[in-house]
Amino acid sequence: MEFTSSWHFESGVLLDEIETQEGLADWVDAYRFRLGMSSGEQISIGDEDVDVALRVRAAVRDLLDALVDQTSPPPGSLDLVTKLAGRLDDTTVAWPAAGPHLVWPDDTPTIDKVLSQVCASAVRLLTSPRRELLRRCPAPSCVLFFSALRKTQQWCSPACGNRARVARHSARGR
């Protein structure tokens, strides 16, 4: 869900962390270990990689929306996520003293490594019992999904809960 959360509101402004080459590279660097990339692995991102990443994020969001709304997802979104998740079949696992990591064929571009991991993670979430915990935050100006870890959890964060309560209070005062 971190990838879908790369598009979010901050102080009332919609921020897109991956809409530029630099932004996408920074996001990849911040999540490199969760993406199965080693600390010394070079990150190479091109303009077309940003376009693909934005399409994948939209497709994953389509699937999360469909799950939360209990509807069918757009077939193109499901096909894209399924296809990219399958790229993990090209990997092996190495287990040196530093710990296990994925080993990709030498010519695998950074974006393929990243998006296959993102899509595989989305598939695991959507097909696991954890999918029952998935919620869309109902707070004003929030576009995030979250896993409700408590039965009473309504928002993705305390800040969103406060914003929702303030909005409700202001609406009553009008």
Side-chain angles (χ1 to χ4, degrees), residues 1 3-4 27 35 52-53 55-61 63 77-88 111-127:
M1 283 193 299
F3 194 65
T4 62
W27 188 92
L35 294 166
V52 173
R55 282 198 315 272
V56 167
R57 183 180 61 194
V60 171
R61 288 187 67 84
L63 301 182
S77 296
L78 187 56
D79 291 345
L80 178 61
V81 170
T82 302
K83 176 185 165 195
L84 291 176
R87 289 290 315 268
L88 282 181
I111 197 66
D112 289 353
K113 295 174 186 179
V114 170
L115 296 181
S116 63
Q117 287 282 68
V118 165
C119 290
S121 178
V123 168
R124 283 190 301 274
L125 171 64
L126 295 168
T127 59

Side-chain angles (χ1 to χ4, degrees), residues 44-151:
S44 178
I45 301 291
D47 278 335
E48 57 282 343
D49 296 338
V50 173
D51 293 337
V52 173
L54 293 173
R55 282 198 315 272
V56 167
R57 183 180 61 194
V60 171
R61 288 187 67 84
D62 285 346
L63 301 182
L64 296 177
D65 278 329
L67 183 69
V68 169
D69 296 338
Q70 298 180 343
T71 61
S72 294
S77 296
L78 187 56
D79 291 345
L80 178 61
V81 170
T82 302
K83 176 185 165 195
L84 291 176
R87 289 290 315 268
L88 282 181
D89 293 341
D90 298 339
T91 66
T92 58
V93 176
W95 203 303
H101 66 270
L102 289 176
V103 178
W104 292 85
D106 289 337
D107 60 342
T108 306
T110 299
I111 197 66
D112 289 353
K113 295 174 186 179
V114 170
L115 296 181
S116 63
Q117 287 282 68
V118 165
C119 290
S121 178
V123 168
R124 283 190 301 274
L125 171 64
L126 295 168
T127 59
S128 77
R130 282 192 53 218
R131 71 178 177 261
E132 301 299 324
L133 304 175
L134 187 67
R135 307 284 187 276
R136 184 185 307 109
C137 186
S141 299
C142 189
V143 295
L144 301 181
F145 290 92
F146 68 97
S147 291
L149 301 177
R150 300 177 320 277
K151 286 187 177 193

